[in-house]
Amino acid sequence: NKKLILAIRPENIELSMAERENWLHLLVKSIQPTGPNTIIQAQVGGSVFTILQPGFITLELNKSLWINFEPKDMHFFDIDTGLNIVSE
């Protein structure tokens, strides 16, 4: 069993503060306004997602948010080598 890193470009992630059917439910763990963007770290189980969103977003720690993305936008990397795993 090989461990992988899942990466999705920020522009390909949809974010909602309201529950959405079939979207991934996360809990907000950190919010970092950086000027033109906001960096959000959110967790589901043992996995942490870092999400970059345009603009200033106000969120509360440990509150729910939902994200959605298309499978075609997922990129996988080998955790040991950092190499991109390309599907054929």
Side-chain angles (χ1 to χ4, degrees):
N1 290 346
K2 190 169 252 329
K3 290 188 177 186
L4 303 175
I5 295 172
L6 166 64
I8 303 163
R9 294 192 180 276
E11 61 269 20
N12 295 326
I13 297 175
E14 295 177 90
L15 181 85
S16 175
M17 279 36 132
E19 184 174 354
R20 296 283 190 84
E21 187 175 346
N22 298 320
W23 284 35
L24 185 60
H25 175 236
L26 306 167
L27 292 178
V28 176
K29 294 300 177 185
S30 149
I31 306 122
Q32 302 171 35
T34 63
N37 298 303
T38 301
I39 299 169
I40 304 161
Q41 286 197 317
Q43 185 172 359
V44 59
S47 298
V48 175
F49 287 73
T50 301
I51 304 161
L52 178 69
Q53 288 289 294
F56 181 83
I57 298 173
T58 303
L59 296 169
E60 292 183 44
L61 294 179
N62 297 310
K63 294 292 182 177
S64 293
L65 66 88
W66 288 261
I67 62 170
N68 188 46
F69 47 86
E70 296 296 323
K72 68 178 180 57
D73 296 324
M74 296 188 303
H75 305 277
F76 294 95
F77 297 87
D78 182 300
I79 200 164
D80 295 323
T81 66
L83 294 175
N84 188 355
I85 298 172
V86 181
S87 62
E88 297 189 14

